């Protein structure tokens, strides 16, 4: 399939694996890139720029296809040494960066000078337009249903994507709630040039996380996520667990007076325990509503091939079958 995104990034399929803390390691990123999508290493999971440089080298040993690095810009008081991380990306020869979190404006000159294509992930039309203005090459438009940080506007993709299409000139991918060929075709119909998936890629054989995490996603339904940290305007969509219940209890008690210190033990620091050791209650961890559409743990290649086959069938058979000149009505169930 050919879209503005496959052309821009030199990939076979318009499918991106979004940066994920303690999940986006070389194993997953290389598997996605080898399967024709765009794999992304999560920069800040590597505690130092030197470790990121090593992870990039490891990924390059596992794939000769393009892959990217995610740089999540955190609030200024906890800022890691971003210029050094960017140097590691540049020196590692990586040509694609997914930025997220705060506005990447101050780092754009360094990224552009290194010939890096920047896809900025954001949750609103106004932030997408800002990304376009500061020179980003593409946007990943993250709807309210997404795992991780959906922002504070609560606009789901059914509205957000066509609104982005109305306003943006640069290409964008749909992010949040994407799982299969239906997601991809719907995203394309709403004006996107591809899709970005997070949660779905965790439940794959190559995702370097404990099997408990994968099985929890298979078992979860679309009703099992919760929003935490609303009062801090740092909303995160997470899979419900004992830590989440405790955070929600504290949030109810504290109301508008909530401070990060009140919940810090539950929201920070234990990601590795969840992802590596499979201790599912160790802290709150990001998960999208799309868990309801995850029923198995395929290899990344099986997943991507299945998505592309389903998308092609939907377009060629189901959708064209609805046209007036297409002959007798085809079965209405998704092909
Ligand atoms: C476990 C997990 C960790 C994530 N960590 C990050 C991160 O560190 N930086 C980032 O930009 N996005 C992060 N995300 C968001 C994803 O890149 C992606 O935008 C999101 O998962 C899309 O929604 P979906 O889960 O419905 O596919 C994370 C998502 C998950 C599920």
């Amino acid at each position: 399939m050919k879209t503005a995104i496959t052309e821009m990034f030199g990939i076979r399929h318009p499918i991106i694996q979004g940066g994920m803390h303690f999940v986006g390691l070389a194993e997953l990123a290389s598997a996605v890139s080898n399967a024709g999508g765009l794999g992304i290493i999560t920069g800040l999971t590597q505690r130092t720029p030197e470790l990121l440089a090593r992870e990039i080298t490891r990924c390059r040993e596992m794939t000769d296809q393009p892959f990217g690095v995610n740089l999540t810009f955190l609030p200024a008081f906890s800022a890691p040494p971003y210029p050094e991380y960017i140097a590691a990306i540049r020196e590692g020869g990586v040509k694609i960066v997914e930025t997220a979190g705060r506005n990447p404006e101050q780092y754009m000159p360094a990224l552009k000078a290194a010939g890096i294509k920047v896809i900025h992930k954001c949750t609103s039309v106004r932030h997408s337009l800002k990304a376009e203005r500061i020179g980003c090459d593409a946007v990943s438009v993250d709807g309210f249903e997404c795992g991780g940080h959906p922002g504070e506007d609560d606009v789901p993709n059914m509205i957000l994507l066509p609104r982005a299409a109305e306003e943006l000139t640069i290409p964008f991918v749909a992010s949040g709630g994407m799982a299969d060929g239906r997601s991809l075709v719907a995203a394309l119909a709403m004006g996107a040039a591809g899709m970005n998936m997070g949660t779905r890629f965790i439940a794959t054989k190559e995702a370097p996380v404990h099997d408990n995490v994968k099985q929890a996603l298979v078992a979860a339904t679309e009703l099992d996520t919760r929003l935490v940290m609303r009062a801090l305007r740092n909303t995160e969509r997470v899979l419900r667990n004992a830590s989440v219940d405790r955070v929600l209890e504290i949030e109810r008690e504290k109301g508008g007076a909530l401070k990060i210190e009140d919940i810090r033990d539950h929201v920070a620091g234990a990601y590795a325990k969840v992802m590596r050791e499979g201790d599912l209650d160790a802290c709150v961890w990001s998960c999208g509503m799309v868990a309801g559409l995850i029923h198995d743990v395929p290899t990344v290649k099986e997943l991507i091939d299945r998505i592309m086959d389903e998308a092609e069938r939907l377009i060629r058979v189901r959708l064209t079958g609805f046209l007036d000149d297409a002959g007798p009505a085809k079965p209405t169930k998704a092909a």
Side-chain angles (χ1 to χ4, degrees):
M1 193 180 276
K2 205 166 165 186
T3 73
I5 286 293
T6 59
E7 301 277 285
M8 180 179 290
F9 296 137
I11 53 180
R12 278 202 316 282
H13 308 307
I15 300 176
I16 299 178
Q17 165 249 315
M20 288 181 281
H21 203 31
F22 282 97
V23 184
L25 305 180
E27 286 78 6
L28 181 59
S30 62
V32 173
S33 291
N34 282 333
L38 180 69
I40 294 190
I41 293 172
T42 313
L44 297 189
T45 298
Q46 305 303 322
R47 283 186 328 279
T48 65
E50 294 70 35
L51 288 171
L52 176 58
R54 230 185 284 170
E55 195 66 10
I56 290 170
T57 303
R58 234 163 53 79
C59 195
R60 201 166 297 297
E61 284 163 8
M62 292 187 242
T63 184
D64 57 1
Q65 298 299 306
F67 62 88
V69 171
N70 167 284
L71 273 184
T72 302
F73 294 108
L74 304 170
F77 61 84
S78 54
Y82 289 114
E84 284 87 337
Y85 275 95
I86 291 171
I89 292 167
R90 187 188 60 231
E91 283 155 25
V94 174
K95 293 292 178 199
I96 302 164
V97 164
E98 176 195 51
T99 54
R102 293 163 72 86
N103 176 347
E105 188 164 11
Q106 78 179 102
Y107 302 104
M108 287 302 288
L111 292 166
K112 290 279 105 188
I116 290 170
K117 297 257 185 251
V118 178
I119 177 162
H120 184 58
K121 189 163 58 195
C122 51
T123 59
S124 70
V125 173
R126 74 184 178 286
H127 291 136
S128 303
L129 285 171
K130 175 82 185 179
E132 180 172 293
R133 268 200 305 280
I134 65 172
C136 292
D137 300 278
V139 185
S140 200
V141 175
D142 224 8
F144 182 51
E145 51 279 77
C146 74
H149 294 272
E152 310 305 325
D153 290 347
D154 303 357
V155 182
N157 269 335
M158 208 69 188
I159 310 297
L160 191 58
L161 298 175
R163 279 289 298 122
E166 284 175 7
E167 306 257 354
L168 282 172
T169 308
I170 55 174
F172 67 96
V173 296
S175 179
M178 305 286 131
D180 50 33
R182 297 170 300 184
S183 321
L184 178 56
V185 174
L188 296 173
M190 287 191 276
M195 68 178 179
N196 178 63
M197 301 195 298
T199 306
R200 174 64 266 200
F201 274 124
I202 303 177
T204 58
K205 293 235 162 50
E206 292 90 338
V209 304
H210 196 284
D211 198 50
N212 288 355
V213 177
K214 302 179 190 187
Q215 295 310 325
L217 294 179
V218 172
T221 78
E222 63 276 23
L223 303 176
D224 293 331
T225 71
R226 294 290 181 272
L227 297 173
V228 296
M229 294 190 283
R230 263 264 109 127
L232 301 175
R233 294 189 63 75
N234 185 30
T235 301
E236 183 177 359
R237 185 178 295 285
V238 297
L239 188 67
R240 187 176 170 204
N241 65 13
S243 287
V244 172
D245 286 347
R246 183 66 194 124
V247 167
L248 291 174
E249 206 176 288
I250 297 169
E251 290 187 346
R252 270 192 303 274
E253 280 162 20
K254 302 274 175 180
L258 182 78
K259 297 202 179 50
I260 182 69
E261 294 73 47
D262 299 324
I263 54 172
R264 196 187 295 278
D265 288 350
H266 304 286
V267 299
Y271 238 81
K273 261 189 116 151
V274 176
M275 296 300 175
R276 288 195 195 133
E277 295 168 32
D279 180 356
L280 297 177
D281 289 316
C283 70
V284 311
W285 52 278
S286 297
C287 173
M289 286 178 155
V290 73
L293 294 173
I294 297 175
H295 309 304
D296 60 357
V297 183
T299 67
V300 166
K301 181 167 168 24
E302 282 164 356
L303 176 65
I304 290 184
D305 285 351
R306 184 165 86 192
I307 291 171
M308 295 313 300
D309 285 351
E310 188 187 20
E312 192 171 326
R313 254 182 303 124
L314 282 171
I315 295 167
R316 284 192 199 281
V317 181
R318 181 171 159 84
L319 297 185
T320 54
F322 290 136
L323 299 174
D324 283 343
D325 58 2
K330 301 246 171 20
T332 52
K333 191 164 171 11

